[in-house]
Every structure is written in structure tokens, then in C-alpha cells.
Amino acid sequence: MIAPASAPDRATRQKPFTIAICGGGIAGLALAIGLLRHGVPFHLYESAHAFAEVGAGVGFGPNALRAMSLIDPRVREGYSKRATGNAHGDKRRVYFDFLAGMDCGVGKAGKKVATVWAGDVGNSTVHRAQFLDELVALVPGENVTFGKRVVEVEELEGRVRLHFADGGTAEASAAVGCDGVKSKLRHVVLGSDDGAAHPTFTGKYAYRGLIPMEKAVDLLGDELARNSIMWLGNHGHVLTFPIEQGATMNVVAIHTKRDGTWHDERWVFPVDRAQMQADFYAWGDSVSKILSLMQHPDLWALFDYPPAPTYCRGRTCLTGDAAHASTPHQGAGAGMALEDAFLLSSLLGAVRESSEIESAFCAFDKVRRPRTQRLVRTSREAGELYDLEAVGVRDDRGRLEADLGSRFGWIWEESLEGELVEALGLLGGRARLV
Ligand SMILES: Cc1cc2nc3c(=O)[nH]c(=O)nc-3n(C[C@H](O)[C@H](O)[C@H](O)COP(=O)(O)OP(=O)(O)OC[C@H]3O[C@@H](n4cnc5c(N)ncnc54)[C@H](O)[C@@H]3O)c2cc1C
């Protein structure tokens, strides 16, 4: 078991080095909280003028909830205050009920295809902006500078110099790129000539929007509105789950782009409902009702990163989407960012001096890369499965059900403490284990 650092430890055991965190989304903030707990001085540089998250829901599996507790129990407590789960009937432990969203190879519209359970947790969900507020509350304001877009990281003798878009610079012992799917630090680590430095369009896009729960219940009934449901169909799927303590239904409607390419320089923009409804015109009654209620839908082009040969170079390391941006089809990208934050902050907490940081980054890379890249790969597969494009599954309900039943266990059941033991072993066995 890993000994949590107590509050007095934090004040008295400051490390003789400092970390520059580049980007303040879930990955960057969670890392900041972990570093605080381990007495590692840091400064976070965020390109925007304030912390911000999209007005949408996010779901977390049991692994992500454990990562929150391990980063700092206050993360889990803050999350729990805002979290929602399936609320109707006996669905508390259900991850998703999968139903046919149209008449298709796996059944008539409305037919149950499969149910996937997720231990005690079910589908634990939250409004992204509310979760971000809880994270922000744990990070001291003096450790953050806004309006600082990192454009380059220069490696100097024993330290790094960040260059910002506004012409300014800052120095630190090392830099961690938490700058998302358009990461600049990924270019620093891999080099811009490496194809893996560039995100790839995955051939699918998502419409996202929210619906007031009373309206959803009026049209769909309690069971379909208040629980997590995935509607499957030809070349698309629609998922809904409750957030904001059941006051709101979150909707994500995914569709395959017919030509498989993306040319618009925008990846996220508002769309009118008619466009969305045209994509789903052949779908059943329930999906049509859901789309008719979606408020202010946005379209998100779904990009992911090709497998990187490494997540670190010298004194620069990548975490979160900057390292392994994934499609959302297994609902685990942000959860992986939380796992990253636990492991990297613990490793840096075990480092005694600046010269050991590169070894900590290497240990992080070695332990985290296989798991997170497996997520990217299997997540794409899941999209093809839900959209009935996977060979042999599109008209075989039994095979689809079997695949769904075995798809999530490795994500949810990971031993995060085991990862830390392995990584500390690589670092030279300096563990604070009891
Ligand atoms: C439709 C959809 C649904 C999803 N649903 C789920 C889900 O249910 N469960 C789940 O676990 N995951 C989900 N994900 C994935 C999840 O959203 C991401 O994995 C997660 O938000 C990544 O967080 P991040 O902090 O790494 O990156 P980001 O959230 O992209 O944050 C990056 C931050 O860095 C800043 N920044 C960018 N460039 C720079 C720079 N050069 N210098 C300084 N700052 C910079 C940005 O302003 C931003 O604040 C979903 C994704 C999508 C698209």
C-alpha cells in the first residue's frame, strides 16, 4: 500500500527542483495537485485566459475513481460531490445498456443488445466544468499563469527554458506537456518530422449537447432518460447519460464521415439541429426524440494520435491527450490522464534531485505507454463495433454482446499501485511503501 503524503510533509519536504506544467485541462490540473501533495514545486502555464471546460458530461470508470483517490483524496471527495450515476430502477451498477437505435443487423429499433456492468461503480458521470472547478479549487492561484501559450521548449544544461507565443520565457528543471490533442510539446519530444507528432482524423465526428432531464423524461420515460444508454446503428451510435445530479441528460451522437477525411481547420463548432437530424434520418423513434431535444449542439471532429515511440525526451515529458489522445468510444481518455497524473507525480515525489528527473520520465514512459496506446487502438475498434462496421459483428448480436462484455475489464481493473511499484523499481527502488 502506498503511504499518502500528509499535509505537514508537504510544507517541510519541498524538492530542490521545479516542474513547468504546460496546459491546465484535467491532465495538467491533476498533475499539479499530485505534485503539491508530494512537495514538488511547480508552475502551470495555460494558454487560455482562464481555466475552462466544455459544457458537457464525462464518464469515469473504476480505475479513474481510484486514480482520483490516489492523487489526493480531496480530488475524489470533490468529484463525489458533483458525480451522478444511473438513477432509475436497479441500474446503479450498469455501465451502459446497449440497444438497437434503428432497424439493423442486431435487431429492431429499441431491442436490447447487451448490458455491461462496471463493478460497484456503474457509469459514474459528472459535468466537466463542475469537475474542473473542484480541481481548480485545490491548486494555489500563485502557481498558475494564464495567457501563456508554450511554443518551444529549449533544453539547457540541467534545466529547460519555455518560450511563449507572447515572446516571453520561463525556466524550470523540467517540462510536462499537458497541452492536449494539438500539443506543441509533442513536437518537442518527437520532432515535427515524425508522423506520430501529428493528430490523425479517425473518420468519425460527434455531436454533443445537453437536454433538461424533465424534457427527456417526458419524451423517453424514466428508464431510458435517467440511465446510461447506448443506441447502436449503421455508421453511428448515440449515447446518453445523466449528469448534474440527474437534472440534465448528456448526449453524444457519433457518426462516420462518409469520405473519411477532414479538411475544415475547425475541429469544434456549433451546428444546427437539421444537419444532425439528416445524419440520423433513418434511425428509430427514441433517437429521433433525443436529437429533437438537444440544445445548442456542437460538432467535434474526432482526432487521435498515432502511437508515439516515446513519451519523453530529455527533460520534457508528455501526459494526457498530448501523449495519447484517443477517440471517446471507451470513455477513458480523461481517466487515463488521471492515472498518468498519479504515476508521474508519485515518481517525481520519489526523485531526490534534479539530475534524476529524466530517469523518472523514462520510468513513466515505460510503464504508461503500452496501456495508454492500447486504449487508443481499442477505442477506435469500439467505434467500429458500435457503428456496426466491424467485420463479423454487424449482424451477429451474440458476437457483439460477447465483445462488449470483455472490452472494458482491462481498463477498469488495472492496479495503479502495481504500476507505481513497477515504475519505482525502474527508478531504483526508491519507494515510500508501507
Ligand atoms: C466527445 C468526447 C467525449 C469524451 N468523453 C470522455 C469520457 O466520457 N470519459 C473520459 O475519460 N474521457 C472522455 N473524453 C476524452 C477526454 O475529454 C480527454 O482525454 C481529456 O479531456 C484530456 O485532457 P487533457 O488535459 O489531456 O487535454 P485538454 O482537455 O485538451 O487540455 C489541454 C489544456 O492545455 C491548454 N493548452 C493547449 N495548448 C497549449 C500550449 N501550447 N501552451 C499552454 N497551454 C496549452 C488548453 O487550453 C487546455 O486547457 C472525451 C472526448 C471527447 C472528444
Side-chain angles (χ1 to χ4, degrees):
M1 202 189 130
I2 293 148
S6 63
D9 285 347
R10 250 181 274 144
T12 55
R13 296 164 74 248
Q14 287 282 306
K15 301 283 177 184
F17 55 84
T18 179
I19 302 294
I21 300 176
C22 307
I26 289 173
L29 285 165
L31 179 64
I33 295 164
L35 292 181
L36 262 184
R37 196 167 150 72
H38 287 283
V40 178
F42 70 89
H43 199 87
L44 190 156
Y45 299 95
E46 164 57 45
S47 58
H49 290 282
F51 290 120
E53 258 294 357
V54 294
V58 58
F60 288 112
N63 57 311
L65 301 189
R66 288 197 305 280
M68 289 179 202
S69 302
L70 289 168
I71 293 166
D72 186 325
R74 295 174 303 162
V75 173
R76 178 71 182 267
E77 284 157 24
Y79 173 80
S80 297
K81 277 195 285 177
R82 310 291 198 136
T84 304
N86 294 331
H88 184 72
D90 57 357
K91 301 287 181 179
R92 202 179 59 80
R93 294 176 171 208
V94 168
Y95 177 54
F96 272 95
D97 275 325
F98 293 80
L99 280 70
M102 65 192 313
D103 295 345
C104 58
V106 294
K108 291 261 177 219
K111 183 177 169 53
K112 170 84 76 67
V113 174
T115 295
V116 174
W117 282 267
D120 288 340
V121 170
N123 192 25
S124 184
T125 64
V126 73
H127 190 293
R128 297 182 69 110
Q130 291 188 351
F131 181 45
L132 202 82
D133 285 348
E134 296 295 334
L135 297 179
V136 168
L138 299 175
V139 178
E142 66 265 25
N143 289 43
V144 179
T145 308
F146 293 108
K148 289 290 183 186
R149 175 173 296 279
V150 181
V151 290
E152 185 56 84
V153 180
E154 189 185 351
E155 185 115 2
L156 306 171
E157 184 62 41
R159 64 196 200 286
V160 292
R161 181 179 295 145
L162 309 185
H163 294 261
F164 301 108
D166 63 7
T169 59
E171 290 192 8
S173 310
V176 181
C178 305
D179 50 341
V181 69
K182 292 182 176 174
S183 172
K184 278 278 181 250
L185 276 83
R186 192 173 175 96
H187 288 254
V188 172
V189 169
L190 301 182
S192 298
D193 291 341
D194 188 328
H198 304 272
T200 311
F201 180 57
T202 64
K204 295 185 188 292
Y205 50 86
Y207 299 104
R208 291 172 111 173
L210 302 176
I211 299 176
M213 187 56 84
E214 326 84 79
K215 289 192 177 175
V217 168
D218 280 351
L219 271 192
L220 300 167
D222 274 307
E223 172 152 8
L224 293 182
R226 295 191 189 278
N227 295 324
S228 300
I229 307 286
M230 184 104 65
W231 301 93
L232 310 180
N234 297 329
H235 308 298
H237 64 277
V238 177
L239 61 104
T240 64
F241 55 74
I243 56 170
E244 297 188 287
Q245 281 77 42
T248 305
M249 186 165 97
N250 180 66
V251 186
V252 183
I254 306 242
H255 204 275
T256 301
K257 188 155 184 294
R258 289 183 215 291
D259 68 3
T261 60
W262 191 263
H263 300 296
D264 196 321
E265 64 183 30
R266 300 168 307 161
W267 293 6
V268 181
F269 49 89
V271 284
D272 60 27
R273 197 175 291 137
Q275 176 184 338
M276 191 171 66
Q277 286 169 324
D279 272 344
F280 289 89
Y281 77 94
W283 287 57
D285 202 31
S286 298
V287 167
S288 302
K289 284 177 179 168
I290 293 165
L291 300 185
S292 75
L293 289 176
M294 263 167 86
Q295 299 176 329
H296 316 297
D298 286 322
L299 185 148
W300 289 61
L302 299 178
F303 283 72
D304 65 11
Y305 270 132
T310 178
Y311 288 169
C312 62
R313 185 171 70 87
R315 288 172 173 262
T316 303
C317 186
L318 305 171
T319 78
D321 274 13
H324 44 73
S326 156
T327 47
H329 310 312
Q330 290 176 150
M336 289 288 170
L338 294 170
E339 292 185 7
D340 287 350
F342 162 62
L343 189 70
L344 189 55
S345 60
S346 303
L347 283 171
L348 291 169
V351 160
R352 285 172 301 208
E353 51 196 54
S354 178
S355 60
E356 298 172 344
I357 293 175
E358 288 185 41
S359 304
F361 285 173
C362 288
F364 171 83
D365 169 60
K366 185 120 201 319
V367 172
R368 292 299 294 161
R369 198 152 37 87
R371 172 167 168 79
T372 49
Q373 295 192 349
R374 182 177 177 191
L375 179 77
V376 180
R377 190 181 70 250
T378 58
S379 195
R380 274 207 190 208
E381 290 167 10
E384 290 175 8
L385 190 72
Y386 306 156
D387 298 349
L388 306 181
E389 293 160 343
V391 177
V393 168
R394 64 177 70 105
D395 49 10
D396 187 337
R397 201 187 69 80
R399 277 185 69 181
L400 180 59
E401 186 176 19
D403 186 311
L404 291 170
S406 60
R407 177 156 288 277
F408 299 94
W410 72 272
I411 300 174
W412 296 338
E413 287 153 20
E414 176 76 350
S415 166
L416 304 178
E417 291 96 333
E419 283 191 8
L420 178 55
V421 170
E422 185 189 345
L424 286 168
L426 294 169
L427 193 56
R430 260 189 319 286
R432 288 212 317 121
L433 300 177
V434 291

